[in-house]
Amino acid sequence: MAGLFLLLTLVIVLATSIGSVKIPLGDTWRILIDRLPFISITPDWSIGTQTIVWDIRLPRVLLAGTVGMALSVAGATYQGLFRNPLADPYLIGVAQGAALGAVIGFLLPVTGLGVTYGLIPALAFAGALASVMMVYSLARVGKTLPMSTLILAGVALGALLGAVVAYLTITSGQVMRSIMFWLSGSFSLSQWSELQLVLPITLIGSCFILLFGRPLNIMQLDEEQAKQLGVNVERLKLVLLIVATLITAAAVSFVGIIGFVGIIIPHAVRLVWGPDYRFLLPLAMLCGAIFLILGDLLARTMLAPSEIPIGVITALAGAPFFLYLLRRKARMLF
C-alpha cells in the first residue's frame, strides 16, 4: 500500500508537468514543494510557469484523483453490499438523476459563469440524491430493504430518467453539444473551489467506509449468517448506501458521468490482491485515483489542443487491461 501511495504521488507530479506547455519535471517538483509549510525555495521559474502548475493543472489533477478515489470506493462498497460483481456506483440511479439535474441546468434560461460553476453542479447533486431517495422509498418493504428489489427499482427508474434525459438532449438545440460533453465526463473546468467541495466529502466518506471492511467481509456469506454473527444488516446497508451515494453524487456533479471506473477498479484490485474488504477498499481508492489521473492526462494530451471525453478514455484504456487480468486469473484457476 505504501508503494501505491508513492506511485500516486509520482503520478500527480508527472501529470502536473505534462501539457500543452512543457514544464521540466524538476521545476514542477520545486513549485509544489515551495508551497509546503515551513519550506521556501528561491524561485528560478517564471510567474507564468507557476500559474500553469499551481492554478491550472494541479487542481485538475487532484480533482481527477479525488473522483477516481470516490467512484472506486463507492463501486467496491456497492459490490460488497449487493454481493454482485456487476454492481457499480450508478446502479441505483445516481448517474441518471445527476444527468437529469444537469440537463435541466443547461436548459434553464440563465447565462453567465454561475451556470457552469454553481447551478449545474448543484442541480446534478440534487438530482442524484433525489433519484436515490426515490429508489430507496420504492424498494423498502416494511423495515427491510431487499437488495433484489432495490436493484430492480434502480434499473427501472434509471431507464425512465435516461429516456427523459435523451429526449431533453435531442430537443435542446444549441446547448446539445455542451450537454453531450458533460454527459461524457470532463475535467476541463476544474478549479480549486470545486476540489475544496468534493475532496472533504470524498475523504470523510471514504474513511468512514473503510471502517466497515470486516462487516462487508461477513456480508459475503449471506444476510442470515451475517445476522447470526452479530451484524445489524439493515443498518449496515442503509448507512453504507447513504455514504457511497453521497460521495458518488459529489463526484459526478462537477465532472459529469464517468463510467467504468467504479466497476473495473474494484475488480482489478480483487483479482490482484484478493477479496478481503479490509484491504480491497483502501487499495481501490489508491488505484482509482491513479487510473483516473492517467486517464485524464491522455484525454487532454492525445489530440491537444482538443480534448477527448474522459469517459471514452476510461473505457478504451480500462477494458483491455481488465480483460487481461480476467484472462490471467482464469488460466490460474483452470
Side-chain angles (χ1 to χ4, degrees), residues 101-121:
V103 170
I104 291 173
F106 277 108
L107 295 178
L108 288 177
V110 180
T111 58
L113 292 177
V115 175
T116 303
Y117 301 122
L119 182 61
I120 292 175

Side-chain angles (χ1 to χ4, degrees), residues 37-298:
F38 312 113
I39 296 179
S40 178
I41 298 176
T42 304
D44 58 355
W45 53 84
S46 65
I47 296 297
T49 300
Q50 179 166 315
T51 301
I52 292 172
V53 169
W54 187 258
D55 295 327
I56 298 177
R57 289 185 188 166
L58 187 60
R60 175 172 183 152
V61 169
L62 293 181
L63 185 62
T66 303
V67 171
M69 185 187 304
L71 295 179
S72 299
V73 74
T77 305
Y78 273 61
Q79 290 171 13
L81 283 176
F82 290 103
R83 299 195 300 279
N84 186 335
L86 297 180
D88 73 358
Y90 306 145
L91 183 65
I92 56 175
V94 174
Q96 295 83 356
L100 180 58
V103 170
I104 291 173
F106 277 108
L107 295 178
L108 288 177
V110 180
T111 58
L113 292 177
V115 175
T116 303
Y117 301 122
L119 182 61
I120 292 175
L123 290 177
F125 187 76
L129 295 186
S131 174
V132 173
M133 289 174 62
M134 190 177 299
V135 169
Y136 178 81
S137 301
L138 291 171
R140 189 168 179 82
V141 180
K143 294 183 179 180
T144 64
L145 183 65
M147 285 302 180
S148 58
T149 308
L150 188 66
I151 293 175
L152 291 174
V155 171
L157 186 64
L160 175 63
L161 296 180
V164 176
V165 169
Y167 173 78
L168 292 177
T169 303
I170 292 172
T171 59
S172 60
Q174 295 181 345
V175 295
M176 185 168 69
R177 181 179 173 84
S178 299
I179 293 175
M180 293 298 295
F181 200 75
W182 189 93
L183 292 176
S184 300
S186 174
F187 294 100
S188 60
L189 300 177
S190 301
Q191 294 186 339
W192 282 111
S193 58
E194 297 177 350
L195 185 67
Q196 289 170 355
L197 289 174
V198 178
L199 184 60
I201 297 175
T202 300
L203 286 181
I204 294 173
S206 299
C207 291
F208 184 79
I209 290 175
L210 293 183
L211 301 175
F212 292 87
R214 183 177 176 276
L216 281 174
N217 281 339
I218 298 175
M219 284 286 288
Q220 304 316 299
L221 302 173
D222 64 46
E223 292 189 7
E224 289 303 321
Q225 293 186 53
K227 290 178 182 176
Q228 292 173 4
L229 292 172
V231 176
N232 189 331
V233 173
E234 295 304 323
R235 187 170 65 182
L236 177 69
K237 288 191 290 189
L238 178 62
V239 169
L240 289 185
L241 280 176
I242 290 174
V243 177
T245 298
L246 277 175
I247 62 176
T248 304
V252 302
S253 61
F254 285 99
V255 300
I257 311 302
I258 300 174
F260 221 61
V261 179
I263 188 170
I264 191 176
I265 295 299
H267 265 305
V269 171
R270 192 178 290 112
L271 288 171
V272 175
W273 286 288
D276 189 335
Y277 276 85
R278 293 173 300 173
F279 305 104
L280 191 153
L281 291 170
L283 290 173
M285 289 172 59
L286 293 172
C287 290
I290 294 170
F291 177 76
L292 209 50
I293 289 173
L294 293 177
D296 180 55
L297 178 61
L298 290 174

